[in-house]
Amino acid sequence: MRNCLLGIGGSKGSKIMVTTRSDVVAKVMRTSYCHHLQNLSDEYSWMLFEKIVFVDGGPTRTQALVDIGRRIVRRCGGVPLAIKAIGHLLNFKKGAWEWSEIDRTTQIWNNPTSSGMDRALSAINLSYDYLPSLSLKQCFAACSIFPKDTLLQKDKLVQMWMAQGLINPPKGSHLQMEDIGGNHVNMLLQRSLLQNPEKDLFNNITLCKMHDLVHDFSLQVSKNHCFNMEDESHHEQIATVNDIKAVHLMLISGKQKMIKKENSEGIPSKLRTLILNGSAYLEDILTSFRYLSTLIVQDSEVDILPTAIGEMKLLRYLDIVDTWISR
């Protein structure tokens, strides 16, 4: 990458700036200067917290909440992601007793040896624990199937949740499932479990992302239910799953050749959701996994949808937009 960037050329005085969490990457890029970002000071930590919590619709700023809030912010150790996660959570809590409950929960963060990453993951875990419904927690966990840095399309995400049966309107509700799914996306954004929303001209959210650390956490909570299979590491990853039979929600393949009939042993036949990045053997997949409720094919080389698709009686959501399939 460095050579490609240098080969572009540029005006005199041009610079290349690389951001990374790894010192190894900085060394490989042969940086002329390396600046290590420090944690936020107490003053800036509190400023960030205030901007998130005490806004329109949030709790009323009182001295009691300020005192509790400052204690919680100090435990975040100046880590912005931790401050944002806990701040968005407290934005939904109006009373001092609710803040005191979270204050007691965060006392375990006082360990001076805790790293910034540990504090951020603790805050993310707290946000997840306080999600208001099991359905919302399951929808969040299902996002773990996408690789890191994936731009998540809101409409596609909601359709997948619906196909998996993760969205259940309460009795008597007149809301459509799409509306409830949209509310779930908004809630995950408000809790910093999703981020960087992009909107269309009508101010509707179309795309969003998941922070790397949040993605790591989502893999933990989805363990044994969502299986992310990338490239040639298929067989090694199969061995790392505690109970492969429990993997019934999702599977993603880096190279479809890895799951031809002859080497699909160990993958549960009752797999429910499958995202294929590369699908040279799509017909084998359709005949091997008859219980799929969701199938997304992302491969520009695929131009024919096998007739075996007609035998998939449980299929609820089919996405072949990123293919050349025309019949």
Side-chain angles (χ1 to χ4, degrees):
M1 184 182 71
R2 178 180 183 276
N3 291 338
C4 289
L5 291 173
L6 291 175
I8 294 173
S11 301
K12 184 178 179 180
S14 296
K15 300 285 191 295
I16 298 171
M17 184 172 70
V18 180
T19 60
T20 176
R21 294 207 303 264
S22 170
D23 287 333
V24 174
V25 173
K27 290 177 181 177
V28 170
M29 294 295 287
R30 286 179 276 168
T31 53
S32 58
Y33 170 71
C34 187
H35 179 74
H36 290 275
L37 291 176
Q38 303 300 316
N39 291 340
L40 296 179
S41 66
D42 288 346
E43 178 186 358
Y44 282 113
S45 294
W46 179 249
M47 286 173 60
L48 175 60
F49 180 82
E50 281 189 307
K51 288 182 179 180
I52 295 171
V53 178
F54 300 118
V55 294
D56 293 341
T60 302
R61 180 190 173 111
T62 65
Q63 189 58 49
L65 294 187
V66 168
D67 292 341
I68 298 171
R70 286 191 177 277
R71 287 199 299 270
I72 294 174
V73 168
R74 280 195 295 270
R75 295 186 191 119
C76 290
V79 180
L81 182 60
I83 296 168
K84 288 177 63 178
I86 202 73
H88 283 120
L89 172 60
L90 290 172
N91 178 255
F92 288 86
K93 309 296 181 183
K94 310 299 182 184
W97 66 272
E98 294 177 294
W99 282 46
S100 295
E101 181 183 350
I102 294 175
D103 182 23
R104 287 190 296 271
T105 303
T106 60
Q107 286 177 10
I108 61 174
W109 304 358
N110 277 331
N111 187 347
T113 62
S114 296
S115 66
M117 187 177 298
D118 290 336
R119 293 174 190 270
L121 286 172
S122 296
I124 294 165
N125 195 353
L126 198 60
S127 285
Y128 171 80
D129 286 342
Y130 275 88
L131 288 176
S133 70
L134 176 61
S135 170
L136 190 52
K137 290 182 177 180
Q138 291 174 328
C139 288
F140 167 74
C143 295
S144 67
I145 194 57
F146 296 100
K148 287 183 178 180
D149 296 324
T150 297
L151 275 176
L152 304 175
Q153 297 181 35
K154 176 186 173 183
D155 291 343
K156 180 179 291 188
L157 197 58
V158 171
Q159 291 291 333
M160 285 177 53
W161 291 342
M162 290 167 54
Q164 294 163 21
L166 301 181
I167 298 177
N168 300 300
K171 288 185 177 180
S173 173
H174 297 291
L175 288 175
Q176 299 290 326
M177 283 199 288
E178 289 86 351
D179 296 328
I180 296 175
N183 290 337
H184 280 9
V185 172
N186 291 336
M187 181 66 73
L188 294 175
L189 284 166
Q190 291 166 0
R191 298 296 178 90
S192 288
L193 296 175
L194 293 177
Q195 64 177 22
N196 298 350
E198 295 184 17
K199 299 182 178 180
D200 60 18
L201 296 176
F202 302 99
N203 208 34
N204 298 312
I205 295 171
T206 56
L207 300 169
C208 56
K209 290 182 68 175
M210 183 177 278
H211 190 282
D212 283 359
L213 289 182
V214 178
H215 189 276
D216 291 342
F217 177 74
S218 72
L219 290 173
Q220 295 177 22
V221 298
S222 64
K223 191 176 182 180
N224 288 356
H225 294 284
C226 299
F227 180 45
N228 190 329
M229 185 173 69
E230 295 283 0
D231 301 327
E232 283 82 6
S233 60
H234 163 54
H235 295 291
E236 291 78 4
Q237 290 200 37
I238 284 284
T240 64
V241 178
N242 293 336
D243 182 6
I244 191 65
K245 293 180 181 178
V247 182
H248 60 274
L249 285 180
M250 307 187 80
L251 171 70
I252 186 168
S253 167
K255 293 183 179 178
Q256 174 52 29
K257 66 181 182 181
M258 301 306 299
I259 34 180
K260 287 181 68 177
K261 273 187 176 180
E262 57 266 28
N263 57 13
S264 62
E265 183 178 355
I267 301 177
S269 60
K270 293 188 178 181
L271 196 68
R272 307 289 179 81
T273 300
L274 184 60
I275 304 175
L276 300 177
N277 285 339
S279 32
Y281 300 101
L282 182 57
E283 188 161 8
D284 284 350
I285 287 298
L286 298 184
T287 55
S288 297
F289 304 111
R290 300 287 183 86
Y291 295 91
L292 289 177
S293 62
T294 301
L295 176 61
I296 299 176
V297 184
Q298 299 173 338
D299 189 343
S300 58
E301 295 183 5
V302 177
D303 57 2
I304 294 177
L305 188 64
T307 55
I309 195 76
E311 299 175 17
M312 303 180 70
K313 305 298 184 184
L314 302 180
L315 195 64
R316 298 167 120 190
Y317 180 61
L318 174 66
D319 185 342
I320 53 174
V321 171
D322 296 319
T323 69
W324 283 99
I325 293 173
S326 59
R327 61 184 176 89

